[in-house]
Amino acid sequence: MGKEYGTPTNKQMELINELAKVELEPEQVFVFPDKLVGDMIIPNRYMQISKQLLNVFKEDANSGVSLLIDHPWAGFGRPKAAIPYGRTFNSKLKKSDVEGEEWALFADHYIVRGKEIDGISTDSIIASIEDGTFFDTSIGWGADKYECSICGNDYRDYRNCEHYAGREYEGEICYVIAKPPGFLMENSIVMDGAYPGAGVLSKNGNTENADMVLVD
């Protein structure tokens, strides 16, 4: 019998306890791996996160960003307090074998069992991850530099960039490249999203789809 899904290793517990304010035991903690995002040009958004910015996100995820549900801070007509239900504690930037994607960022998350926060129990979140009804995830992030793929200028500088993302120029589709400085703010469990393949990893490493929210 292999290790049960969600059970932390000794090394993972060491990393988790570097972030925790009290010493946690393995039986208190549920862990899961997640594909956060990659450098694919995001379909219908014509946005690419550069490898350099992915490296910034990796360092932020190693430091521990919050795991939320459905970007409550972003509003969408129903703003709520952004309450964390878990946290990242480790991440890796890996070479990808997915078409259109060269690099992908993965992170490990932990959730403490037996808690109830704002009417939602962490045990119910864990059960939904285990049974596959929670599978998509979406990062909240920001960057200071958005480069036009056609001219290389700041896409937001209309005096020096006259291109429009999604339009074709001499056979090339224009898209925006997000570059550092920037930050990874959080990762959320969501219903559906834009970045193909982002989401909770299963035992065999498969993912579903997920979304991103751009923070200005």
Side-chain angles (χ1 to χ4, degrees):
M1 294 281 293
K3 182 172 71 70
E4 184 178 353
Y5 183 76
T7 302
T9 65
N10 291 336
K11 179 60 178 176
Q12 286 177 324
M13 284 307 305
E14 289 178 13
L15 295 172
I16 290 167
N17 278 317
E18 287 178 6
L19 300 175
K21 300 298 188 292
V22 296
E23 190 80 8
L24 296 172
E25 298 297 331
E27 59 270 19
Q28 295 178 268
V29 176
F30 175 84
V31 296
F32 71 93
D34 186 274
K35 180 177 179 179
L36 298 182
V37 72
D39 62 359
M40 183 186 297
I41 300 169
I42 303 164
N44 301 319
R45 299 198 180 185
Y46 303 102
M47 172 76 72
Q48 180 186 53
I49 297 176
S50 66
K51 182 185 177 185
Q52 295 91 339
L53 189 54
L54 289 175
N55 271 310
V56 173
F57 292 175
K58 180 185 75 170
E59 294 307 313
D60 289 339
N62 282 336
S63 298
V65 301
S66 294
L67 176 70
L68 308 179
I69 295 178
D70 207 18
H71 304 300
W73 54 269
F76 303 122
R78 42 172 176 67
K80 292 181 64 179
I83 299 173
Y85 291 91
R87 192 174 184 181
T88 63
F89 64 91
N90 190 29
S91 68
K92 293 181 180 179
L93 186 62
K94 298 181 180 179
K95 193 80 172 176
S96 177
D97 58 3
V98 175
E99 184 178 356
E101 181 181 74
E102 187 175 0
W103 295 95
L105 180 62
F106 299 82
D108 291 326
H109 300 66
Y110 77 95
I111 302 172
V112 176
R113 300 176 186 271
K115 297 171 62 176
E116 183 171 321
I117 310 170
D118 197 31
I120 299 175
S121 74
T122 56
D123 287 348
S124 69
I125 295 172
I126 291 166
S128 294
I129 291 172
E130 289 178 321
D131 66 25
T133 52
F134 278 0
F135 53 91
D136 273 11
T137 58
S138 162
I139 61 171
W141 61 282
D144 287 352
K145 186 175 182 181
Y146 297 93
E147 183 180 288
C148 173
S149 66
I150 300 297
C151 66
N153 293 321
D154 187 338
Y155 181 76
R156 299 165 298 180
D157 184 353
Y158 302 115
R159 294 169 298 179
N160 294 308
C161 176
E162 299 179 349
H163 304 106
Y164 293 89
R167 290 189 183 178
E168 188 173 312
Y169 298 89
E170 298 182 1
E172 292 188 35
I173 296 292
C174 176
Y175 59 93
V176 180
I177 308 166
K179 294 187 172 183
F183 60 91
L184 176 66
M185 182 173 70
E186 51 92 4
N187 191 33
S188 279
I189 298 168
V190 295
M191 179 190 70
D192 192 17
Y195 195 87
V200 176
L201 291 166
S202 63
K203 287 183 180 180
N204 61 10
N206 291 332
T207 60
E208 301 286 345
N209 291 331
D211 193 11
M212 301 191 307
V213 168
L214 177 62
V215 181
D216 188 353

